[in-house]
Amino acid sequence: MSVLVLAERDGAQLKPSTYQAMTAAAVWELPIDLLVYGDEVEVAAAEAKQLAGVRRVLTAEAGHFQYPLVEDVQELVLSIASQYTHILSAHSVFGKSVVPGIAARLDIAPITDVIEIQAPSTYVRPAYAGNILTTIENHEPVQIITVRATAFRATVSRTNDQGDDAELISIDVPPAREISQWISEQLTHSERPELNSARVVIAGGRSLGEDFNALLDPIAVQLDAAIGATRACVDAGFAANDLQVGQTGTIIAPELYIAVGISGAMQHLAGIKDSKIIVAINHDPDAPIFKHADYGLVGDLFTVLPELNAALQLNAELQQP
Ligand SMILES: Cc1cc2nc3c(=O)[nH]c(=O)nc-3n(C[C@H](O)[C@H](O)[C@H](O)COP(=O)(O)OP(=O)(O)OC[C@H]3O[C@@H](n4cnc5c(N)ncnc54)[C@H](O)[C@@H]3O)c2cc1C
């Protein structure tokens, strides 16, 4: 019995969600292999083999993995799947695309978006936009799981008393399936931390209008925060699509979440409910978001945000020696 964890990379390095998936995989107390694929995997593989709990790092290097396509990653996983009783990935955009196809080809029902593994085969996952938590016992011969990364702490590098680094093994890569093709990508480069791993997130609703960035950016810079948005705000064209937080956007669990001009629809709350502290700013004292906030400020955001920015600036100046 052993576990295969699918690594994900951000450039040369492993994504934080891979560290969190490793923590989830450790619950089974079985040997864990971490699969790292790409056109150049040296840096990520070196990082992977230092992680606590990894038995072997399987490297799959091929030119067609410069831009990994779902079908090719599925083929790769399927080529080694028979060695594993457990296959696990983060419930990321890529994980959500790759894992169901693997499960279908193995004729196994996957359990997705797991927030707790009650070993060995009982899982907790949210349903109905997080309004209920379901506990599922899975009797499939292979447990195929995606985990909500923010529900697990990141694993750490192994210490000296945890033995040598994991073994590195290069595996054969099946040929590209060529049923889809990478054409181009448009990446948004931001100075801000990534939304799904930021310690602080400030998010705005559609009421910020065209001033969305002008109002939130200066505060985000001072708090070293990521910026998020509601779907209504994204649909209105005030914020980029990848900033959407919620059921159909990114699910986050920052230490501090500041919701500005956000009503608190259940689909939005589904994405923020694991935040440690929620602060809401809204001019309607009856806005549903206040029921979920630790701190609420009833006020007009167009007055409150400039005041908050000025106060943070003053505080920063006072901190300077
Ligand atoms: C299938 C489905 C999936 C969805 N997925 C998501 C999702 O992933 N994420 C998501 O966010 N939504 C999602 N939605 C949409 C969701 O239902 C809400 O419509 C949306 O979250 C509302 O966004 P909002 O709070 O910006 O807008 P509104 O609901 O219009 O709220 C605006 C708020 O701003 C306040 N306000 C207005 N002016 C000011 C001011 N000057 N100062 C202070 N406060 C002010 C108002 O009091 C109000 O509370 C989904 C909906 C469906 C049906």
Side-chain angles (χ1 to χ4, degrees):
M1 303 235 301
S2 52
V3 185
L4 179 67
V5 175
L6 313 190
E8 272 189 75
R9 293 186 307 146
D10 188 2
Q13 319 243 260
L14 297 177
K15 281 194 173 178
S17 58
T18 302
Y19 285 66
Q20 291 156 318
M22 275 299 302
T23 300
V27 174
W28 287 301
E29 296 182 348
L30 295 169
I32 302 173
D33 290 350
L34 188 57
L35 176 62
V36 182
Y37 50 85
D39 61 332
E40 283 176 19
V41 297
E42 205 180 321
V43 175
E47 188 183 340
K49 72 183 185 145
Q50 291 170 8
L51 293 185
V54 181
R55 170 183 62 169
R56 303 185 304 181
V57 176
L58 310 183
T59 60
E61 213 166 44
H64 64 266
F65 280 148
Q66 184 183 2
Y67 302 105
L69 296 173
V70 166
E71 297 82 5
D72 294 332
V73 177
Q74 288 172 342
E75 215 57 33
L76 174 68
V77 175
L78 287 164
S79 72
I80 52 173
S82 61
Q83 301 169 36
Y84 297 96
T85 47
H86 299 69
I87 298 176
L88 183 140
S89 155
H91 192 71
S92 57
V93 172
F94 203 70
K96 279 190 266 190
S97 313
V98 167
V99 168
I102 296 168
R105 301 263 300 273
L106 294 173
D107 198 19
I108 297 279
I111 313 281
T112 57
D113 200 14
V114 165
I115 59 169
E116 188 186 346
I117 299 179
Q118 298 175 344
S121 56
T122 308
Y123 305 93
V124 180
R125 70 183 295 276
Y128 297 105
N131 281 320
I132 60 166
L133 296 178
T134 55
T135 304
I136 297 172
E137 213 172 283
N138 185 14
H139 297 292
E140 295 284 16
V142 182
Q143 310 274 310
I144 302 185
I145 309 294
T146 65
V147 291
R148 184 180 293 190
T150 51
F152 299 87
R153 64 169 179 75
T155 200
V156 289
S157 296
R158 69 177 74 211
T159 53
N160 287 343
D161 56 354
Q162 285 172 312
D164 295 336
D165 288 352
E167 196 183 345
L168 268 187
I169 296 183
S170 164
I171 61 169
D172 291 337
V173 177
R177 289 190 69 196
E178 296 180 348
I179 54 174
S180 61
Q181 216 185 338
W182 183 90
I183 306 281
S184 67
E185 66 188 2
Q186 282 184 317
L187 292 178
T188 314
H189 290 288
S190 168
E191 302 286 300
R192 309 265 37 88
E194 276 210 41
L195 190 52
N196 59 6
S197 53
R199 286 181 58 245
V200 180
V201 174
I202 182 164
R206 70 172 129 204
S207 46
L208 277 78
E210 300 286 354
D211 291 332
F212 181 87
N213 286 316
L215 286 163
L216 295 187
D217 270 354
I219 298 173
V221 169
Q222 299 208 58
L223 295 175
D224 193 24
I227 293 181
T230 63
R231 175 158 154 184
C233 183
V234 170
D235 287 349
F238 302 139
N241 197 41
D242 58 351
L243 299 190
Q244 186 182 317
V245 171
Q247 184 190 345
T248 46
T250 304
I251 291 178
I252 59 174
E255 284 173 28
L256 172 63
Y257 180 70
I258 307 173
V260 184
I262 291 178
S263 57
M266 80 172 187
Q267 295 90 351
H268 186 78
L269 295 172
I272 63 160
K273 66 175 190 46
D274 291 333
S275 307
K276 303 257 175 339
I277 295 175
I278 297 177
V279 175
I281 302 169
N282 198 304
H283 68 180
D284 174 6
D286 296 324
I289 188 80
F290 285 129
K291 290 202 184 82
H292 305 272
D294 300 286
Y295 300 92
L297 178 58
V298 178
D300 185 332
L301 67 91
F302 296 101
T303 311
V304 171
L305 288 181
E307 283 177 1
L308 177 60
N309 187 32
L312 286 167
Q313 249 165 11
L314 182 63
N315 187 45
E317 282 163 22
L318 292 174
Q319 302 281 325
Q320 274 172 6

